[in-house]
Amino acid sequence: MIIQSSLLTQQVNLLLGFEGVNYTSDDYWTAKLLSLILGGGMTSRLFQEIREKRGLVYLIRAMSNSDADTGMLSIYAGTGEKEIGELEEYLEKIDVTYKGDVDEEAICDGNNEVIVKIDGLKDGSYEESDLTTKLVRFTYCKVEAADD
């Protein structure tokens, strides 16, 4: 856990890192989806629990990054000096594997988030995004993204 504090702004930046998967792993897209479910936006579990319910942060997100031989799942939080203790206690209890705790609705929400992000990359010159959008869609999910 890395904690950085600024005396001028009274802000605290916290970064947790966990071993992830490399980009050739069969679990690559699973790790991406997990990071979205965990902390990929306003509907994510971390955002809802830590920001909305507990009011401990002004920013929280999870990211999955992969390289040729390894990867990392990280959780970043921006908070204040008064909230850091309670935030640390909560984050230490997180099980980033979420074994058996991710239902079909969460998978569909995460999948739709990926599609929305990919659709946001489209600018007329990025033809590959159409193919990528099709690759990440799961047949049992209702996709909310608009087709061009």
Side-chain angles (χ1 to χ4, degrees):
M1 181 180 310
I2 299 171
I3 300 174
Q4 178 186 23
S5 180
S6 171
L7 296 174
L8 298 176
T9 63
Q10 298 180 347
Q11 294 178 337
V12 178
N13 296 296
L14 179 122
L15 181 65
L16 289 169
F18 305 91
E19 185 176 358
V21 298
N22 65 43
Y23 60 69
T24 61
S25 171
D26 290 341
D27 292 326
Y28 174 82
W29 287 108
T30 304
K32 289 289 189 191
L33 215 63
L34 174 62
S35 71
L36 285 169
I37 292 167
L38 192 60
M42 292 174 53
T43 61
S44 71
R45 293 179 181 197
L46 288 173
F47 187 92
Q48 289 298 313
E49 181 66 27
I50 295 176
R51 181 161 186 231
E52 295 298 303
K53 185 176 175 184
R54 298 174 186 248
L56 296 176
V57 298
Y58 59 86
L59 175 66
I60 187 140
R61 65 176 173 231
M63 299 152 285
S64 176
N65 298 306
S66 298
D67 206 344
D69 59 346
T70 189
M72 182 172 76
L73 175 69
S74 57
I75 298 172
Y76 169 80
T79 189
E81 292 176 342
K82 294 177 185 172
E83 295 82 9
I84 191 67
E86 187 178 345
L87 177 62
E88 280 182 280
E89 286 178 29
Y90 181 82
L91 291 176
E92 286 174 357
K93 298 175 187 175
I94 288 180
D95 176 10
V96 294
T97 61
Y98 270 106
K99 292 180 180 171
D101 191 29
V102 178
D103 58 14
E104 188 173 310
E105 182 179 355
I107 292 171
C108 289
D109 289 346
N111 184 48
N112 288 340
E113 185 77 22
V114 170
I115 292 166
V116 167
K117 288 180 186 222
I118 290 170
D119 282 347
L121 295 174
K122 294 180 183 177
D123 64 0
S125 64
Y126 192 56
E127 305 297 328
E128 295 83 5
S129 63
D130 282 332
L131 176 60
T132 309
T133 300
K134 291 178 178 86
L135 288 173
V136 298
R137 287 186 178 167
F138 294 118
T139 56
Y140 58 85
C141 293
K142 179 183 177 193
V143 179
E144 300 292 332
D147 289 328
D148 288 359

